[in-house]
Amino acid sequence: MNSIQVKTLSNGITLVHRQVLHTEISHVGIMLDIGSRDELDSEQGLAHFWEHLAFKGTPKYNNMQIINRLELIGGELNAYTTKEKICFHASVLTPYFERALELLTEITFHSTFPEKELEKERSVILEEMAMYYEAPEDAIQDDFDELLFPNHPLGINILGTAEHVQSFQKKDLHAFIDRNLDTSRIVISSIGKLAHDKVFAWADKHVGRIPAKKHQVSRILPPAMLPMERITKRGLTQAHVAMGRQSFAIENPNRLAFFMLINLLGGPSMNSLLNVSVREKHGLVYSIEATFTSYMDSGFWAIYFGTEPNQVAKAIRLIHKEFDKLKEKALSPAQLTKIKSQLKGQMAMAEEGNLNFMLMMAKNLLDREKIESLDEIFTQIDLVTAEQLQQLAIDMLNPHELSRLIFEP
């Protein structure tokens, strides 16, 4: 029997459940294909504001009841906002699965956004903004988006601006949700030992009566990025650097091969090329990472690191040197085999995390309308050639085509 089953309710909401028998914990989430890029100019930060306010009251529960409903049984309730998604999710012991699903349904579809709670949460979000400003390793990644996607919603900080957050009213939340909610772009994803039919029956019970709603997606294609450098003075002791460029969208055929290249360059492993060169050999950084993010119609890759101000130029030279190596010579068969094995191992270990797998199923169904098995992904990895990686390096790792943001003390 297939451990993953998918079903669509009459209102268009998609259900997906993966049965895993060797766990006592169930994870369930409601993911909506709505994010900060769907905001109007006057709404910057409103999607994230919704995520916060959803927990503050429904016709059935007040904010303290929402907080305690799962916490008192040892469960966890959480949420997050990205440029293209909002997700509410919970983790509980399996006997409490329906309780978690019922609560998620309440906060996702029936939040009342009480006025007094709205004012409290406004202050909380302003504090969150201040925390991000004080954490340069986080702030630089958010600020770098503006260089990657200038004058576009993908380039705007998910938190919005203090001016916008201070202006939001209850009517703004309702207008944003009414304009963007589409039941055919909602996935309820779960993983645990429960049988599929039981999970689907409970989902139908709690969300099957949500009225069907259709909304035509009209996201604006990002303009091409023009390379630029920006230096910002901050109250820091270290310099922080971000460099990168726009890259491949989710359905681009080069996406997986490019992910492999970025993983080799600066992925999470200690033997990544940048970690070995910039940290291990020269001791210039505590950490350095390369990331690759895909959106529906675009994407970007970037390198982030912090170092002493007088070491920035040297660190950048070392990074460019690694670019040159990847461009000038194709990987040997042995090297290619090693990086493929490493990526497969990382993916297999990531799949062991049931919470992350539950979220991945929801995102893949919204973005690609399918969930690929590890075997299918491994087959695609095996097809990547050294010549393909070298050509991607030539096309994408040109220093003159990269934007750069530097936080200087």
Side-chain angles (χ1 to χ4, degrees):
M1 183 181 70
N2 188 353
S3 66
I4 299 175
Q5 291 188 21
V6 180
K7 178 180 179 179
T8 301
L9 299 178
S10 58
N11 56 13
I13 295 176
T14 298
L15 315 176
V16 58
H17 178 64
R18 182 188 188 193
Q19 188 175 32
V20 177
L21 298 177
H22 58 268
T23 179
E24 298 302 320
I25 304 298
S26 288
H27 305 279
V28 57
I30 301 180
M31 187 176 292
L32 303 94
D33 197 26
I34 305 171
S36 63
R37 72 174 300 182
D38 300 307
E39 299 162 346
L40 304 175
D41 288 344
S42 61
E43 296 174 335
Q44 293 175 17
L46 192 56
H48 176 255
F49 201 69
W50 172 19
E51 175 212 316
H52 276 244
L53 266 294
F55 293 84
K56 299 306 175 181
T58 73
K60 198 170 183 179
Y61 304 113
N62 62 35
N63 65 320
M64 294 307 300
Q65 290 171 322
I66 289 172
I67 289 173
N68 286 313
R69 187 147 178 80
L70 300 186
E71 296 287 340
L72 289 176
I73 56 170
E76 295 180 355
L77 179 65
N78 215 328
Y80 63 86
T81 306
T82 70
K83 298 291 175 76
E84 296 186 330
K85 303 287 184 287
I86 293 175
C87 182
F88 303 98
H89 61 93
S91 302
V92 291
L93 288 167
T94 295
Y96 299 105
F97 177 91
E98 187 184 9
R99 178 188 288 204
L101 177 59
E102 182 263 350
L103 182 61
L104 289 173
T105 303
E106 281 288 307
I107 64 176
T108 304
F109 299 104
H110 305 301
S111 290
T112 54
F113 311 125
E115 293 287 353
K116 65 176 183 178
E117 297 298 333
L118 187 147
E119 294 306 320
K120 290 180 190 175
E121 209 59 27
R122 197 191 307 278
S123 298
V124 170
I125 293 173
L126 292 173
E127 286 297 322
E128 184 179 358
M129 289 179 173
M131 285 174 54
Y132 267 85
Y133 185 83
E134 295 296 327
E137 63 277 7
D138 294 324
I140 196 167
Q141 296 187 36
D142 289 327
D143 289 3
F144 190 48
D145 288 351
E146 186 180 343
L147 270 68
L148 294 168
F149 300 101
N151 303 311
H152 187 271
L154 288 176
I156 294 171
N157 193 318
I158 290 170
L159 300 180
T161 66
E163 181 182 3
H164 283 103
V165 170
Q166 289 168 339
S167 72
F168 292 148
Q169 302 298 323
K170 185 173 180 177
K171 62 180 176 59
D172 301 316
L173 289 161
H174 286 299
F176 178 74
I177 294 169
D178 185 63
R179 191 179 75 247
N180 288 288
L181 188 69
D182 181 342
T183 49
S184 69
R185 294 164 55 215
I186 298 174
V187 171
I188 298 179
S189 177
S190 62
I191 188 167
K193 68 191 298 183
L194 290 167
H196 297 90
D197 56 355
K198 181 171 286 191
V199 171
F200 291 164
W202 278 332
D204 194 18
K205 171 184 173 183
H206 292 289
V207 302
R209 285 173 286 184
I210 301 295
K213 191 174 188 300
K214 192 69 179 172
H215 166 70
Q216 185 65 40
V217 180
S218 56
R219 287 171 171 165
I220 303 168
L221 184 71
M225 179 198 84
L226 294 177
M228 66 175 294
E229 179 173 283
R230 179 182 299 166
I231 298 175
T232 303
K233 300 291 185 180
R234 298 283 292 267
L236 307 168
T237 56
Q238 269 197 324
H240 289 261
V241 181
M243 53 195 299
R245 58 167 290 179
Q246 291 183 12
S247 58
F248 303 112
I250 286 169
E251 291 292 358
N252 191 291
N254 286 310
R255 188 174 71 100
L256 181 59
F258 189 63
F259 177 68
M260 186 186 302
L261 180 68
I262 294 300
N263 195 62
L264 166 66
L265 183 65
S269 296
M270 293 177 66
N271 67 346
S272 73
L273 298 179
L274 295 182
N275 192 68
V276 170
S277 173
V278 185
R279 175 181 168 146
E280 298 299 329
K281 289 185 178 179
H282 293 88
L284 300 184
V285 300
Y286 174 72
S287 67
I288 183 168
E289 63 173 345
T291 64
F292 170 39
T293 300
S294 288
Y295 299 119
M296 290 300 295
D297 50 8
S298 186
F300 73 92
W301 73 268
I303 294 169
Y304 304 100
F305 67 91
T307 189
E308 294 302 312
N310 62 352
Q311 300 286 11
V312 169
K314 183 177 180 180
I316 291 174
R317 284 197 302 270
L318 291 172
I319 292 169
H320 291 173
K321 189 176 179 180
E322 295 304 318
F323 291 174
D324 291 339
K325 291 178 185 177
L326 292 169
K327 291 187 288 185
E328 291 168 1
K329 185 179 179 181
L331 298 175
S332 69
Q335 289 173 318
L336 186 62
T337 298
K338 286 179 182 178
I339 67 166
K340 287 181 177 181
S341 296
Q342 185 174 54
L343 183 57
K344 289 177 182 178
Q346 291 171 353
M347 288 183 164
M349 284 190 284
E351 186 171 303
E352 280 195 332
N354 285 340
L355 172 59
N356 288 336
F357 194 90
M358 179 273 291
L359 298 172
M360 179 276 292
M361 290 194 299
K363 187 175 186 301
N364 281 7
L365 283 174
L366 286 172
D367 288 343
R368 309 188 68 195
E369 299 183 349
K370 63 181 178 181
I371 300 169
E372 291 180 312
S373 68
L374 267 183
D375 287 341
E376 290 173 315
I377 297 172
F378 287 177
T379 297
Q380 295 172 43
I381 290 173
D382 288 335
L383 294 174
V384 175
T385 67
E387 291 72 25
Q388 186 180 5
L389 294 175
Q390 183 183 21
Q391 188 59 54
L392 284 170
I394 293 169
D395 293 342
M396 301 298 291
L397 305 184
N398 184 343
H400 301 295
E401 296 177 354
L402 306 184
S403 286
R404 193 156 68 198
L405 174 62
I406 302 175
F407 286 174
E408 283 188 350

